[in-house]
Amino acid sequence: MTRRLLSLFLTLGTLAACNDKPPGQLEPIPRPADYKEPAKAEAPRPAPKAPPADPNKVMLRWNLAPDAPVAYRLDGTPTTATFYALQRPKQGDLRVRIGVQGAKDALDQGTFSERGFILDGLGGVHRNVATLLLELPKEAVGVGDTWSLGADLVDTTLLGRSFVEKKADRRNTVKLVAIAPEGDDRVATIEYDLFESLSGSFPPALVTSAEEPAEEPAETSPLKPAKDKGKGKGKDKEPAKAATSVSPERPLTAEATFTGKGEFLVKAGRWRSWEGTLSSKLEGYTPPSPEKSPTQVPPGTLQLKLTALDAVPPALQEAEARK
C-alpha cells in the first residue's frame, strides 16, 4: 500500500514538472499567424488647469442683479438730460432703455452683453453715446493696457454712393491708467481718446429746372374787350422749357472727437464717476435730416457727466413695474 501511494505521488510530480501551466487552466485558443493584440485604451487625461489669475489685472463687467434695474442720468446732452436704465431680465441679454427728461415713454432701447457691447437695437447717435457709456474691455486688463470701442462717430454710408472720400483719419484708444483699492472693492480709472474725421466731395451733377413762360400782357385798349382769363385755361399755353446746368463740386468735411475719464468699481460692476467732452463738426454739406448726418453724435460741443440715480424714472420702467 505504501509503495503504491509513493508511486502515485512520483507520477503526479513528474506530470506537473512537464506541464508549466497551473492545474485546471485551459489550453489557449490558437491564433492566426497575422493576429495582433488590440491596443489598450488610454486612460483619459486630466483637463488642463486654468492659469492662475493675474493679480495685477482686472476683469471689468457690469454686475446687474436679476430684475433689479439701475439708472443713470447723463447731463450735458442737447436735451435737458438723458436717462439710461440698465436691467438684467430673468432670461435673455441685458437691456438698456433710453429716455429724456419729461418724456412719458422711452425714446429707444436695445440689448447689450456683460461687458457692455451693444448687441441689438439703438439708432446711430443713441448707439454711439451708449457705447461710450457701457462698453468695457473684452479681456482682463492691467495698468497701461489699451483697447478700442465699437463706436462709429463718423459714418460715410449715409452719404450715398456718389460721395467720393479723399482723406480719413481715425484714433480709437481707451486706456486703464490706474487700479486703486477702495474698501473691499477696487477702482479702475479709465481714460478715453477717440477721434474720427473724413473729407471728400460730391461730384458735379446735371441739374434740370423748368422755366415758366412769360405772362401775356393785359389788354389796355378800350376798343377791345378784355380776354376772359378763365376760358381755355391751359390750352393755348406754351409748354415750359427745361433748363439744364451743371452744379459745382460740393466738398464735405466731417469730424467727431471724444475725450473723457471714468472710475469703474470692479466688484460692484458699475460707474462711480464718468465724464467727458464730445464734439462734432460738419462743413460744406447740409444733411436733409439729422439722421442722415455723417457725424453720428449730437451736434456741437457737449460737456457730459454721468450720475447714478436712486430709482429708475417711470418712463424707463417696464410696463409691469408701472402698475
Side-chain angles (χ1 to χ4, degrees):
M1 185 65 177
T2 303
R3 289 181 179 178
R4 200 174 284 177
L5 290 174
L6 181 59
S7 176
L8 180 60
F9 285 136
L10 291 174
T11 303
L12 292 174
T14 302
L15 292 174
C18 296
N19 188 3
D20 57 355
K21 297 181 179 55
Q25 181 171 338
L26 299 177
E27 289 287 337
I29 299 174
R31 306 290 189 185
D34 58 349
Y35 176 78
K36 295 181 179 180
E37 289 288 340
K40 294 182 179 180
E42 296 183 2
R45 298 180 180 179
K49 295 182 179 180
D54 189 340
N56 298 318
K57 293 193 174 187
V58 291
M59 183 70 77
L60 304 180
R61 292 293 181 269
W62 285 97
N63 186 7
L64 301 174
D67 289 332
V70 299
Y72 292 92
R73 172 184 173 129
L74 183 64
D75 291 296
T77 54
T79 55
T80 306
T82 304
F83 298 92
Y84 294 81
L86 313 180
Q87 181 180 15
R88 178 188 295 278
K90 292 181 180 178
Q91 294 181 345
D93 299 311
L94 306 183
R95 298 175 187 171
V96 55
R97 296 166 65 86
I98 302 175
V100 295
Q101 189 170 11
K104 296 182 178 180
D105 296 298
L107 293 179
D108 209 346
Q109 59 185 342
T111 59
F112 63 101
S113 66
E114 300 282 345
R115 71 180 187 94
F117 185 81
I118 305 298
L119 299 172
D120 191 24
L122 301 185
V125 174
H126 286 162
R127 186 184 187 94
N128 280 321
V129 177
T131 296
L132 297 176
L133 293 172
L134 300 178
E135 191 171 325
L136 300 167
K138 185 177 181 180
E139 308 293 342
V141 289
V143 175
D145 288 346
T146 61
W147 61 95
S148 60
L149 300 181
D152 292 313
L153 307 183
V154 176
D155 187 0
T156 59
T157 60
L158 301 174
L159 299 175
R161 296 182 179 180
S162 61
F163 177 73
V164 179
E165 184 177 309
K166 297 181 179 179
K167 184 179 179 181
D169 190 13
R170 178 182 173 92
R171 183 174 66 250
N172 188 325
T173 304
V174 189
K175 183 177 181 180
L176 180 64
V177 297
I179 303 175
E182 183 173 293
D184 64 344
D185 208 333
R186 287 187 289 175
V187 179
T189 302
I190 300 170
E191 291 184 350
Y192 297 81
D193 181 16
L194 283 78
F195 172 79
E196 292 185 32
S197 70
L198 67 87
S199 61
S201 63
F202 295 93
L206 293 177
V207 178
T208 303
S209 61
E211 294 182 353
E212 293 292 335
E215 291 288 337
E216 184 178 355
E219 294 284 347
T220 57
S221 172
L223 301 177
K224 294 183 179 180
K227 291 183 178 180
D228 188 354
K229 296 182 180 180
K231 294 182 179 180
K233 186 177 181 179
K235 292 184 179 179
D236 298 331
K237 190 176 181 180
E238 294 182 2
K241 297 179 180 180
T244 303
S245 61
V246 178
S247 69
E249 184 181 65
R250 293 173 294 165
L252 164 68
T253 301
E255 183 177 298
T257 305
F258 177 70
T259 57
K261 184 177 181 180
E263 295 178 337
F264 194 83
L265 296 171
V266 178
K267 183 178 179 181
R270 58 181 175 83
W271 288 115
R272 186 178 71 171
S273 65
W274 187 96
E275 58 185 7
T277 302
L278 178 63
S279 63
S280 67
K281 182 173 60 175
L282 183 63
E283 296 179 349
Y285 169 75
T286 303
S289 64
E291 292 77 15
K292 295 296 184 180
S293 174
T295 52
Q296 289 293 286
V297 293
T301 299
L302 309 175
Q303 299 295 330
L304 304 178
K305 184 176 181 180
L306 194 69
T307 305
L309 300 179
D310 295 330
V312 177
L316 299 185
Q317 294 178 3
E318 296 287 348
E320 296 77 6
R322 300 185 194 181
K323 298 178 181 179

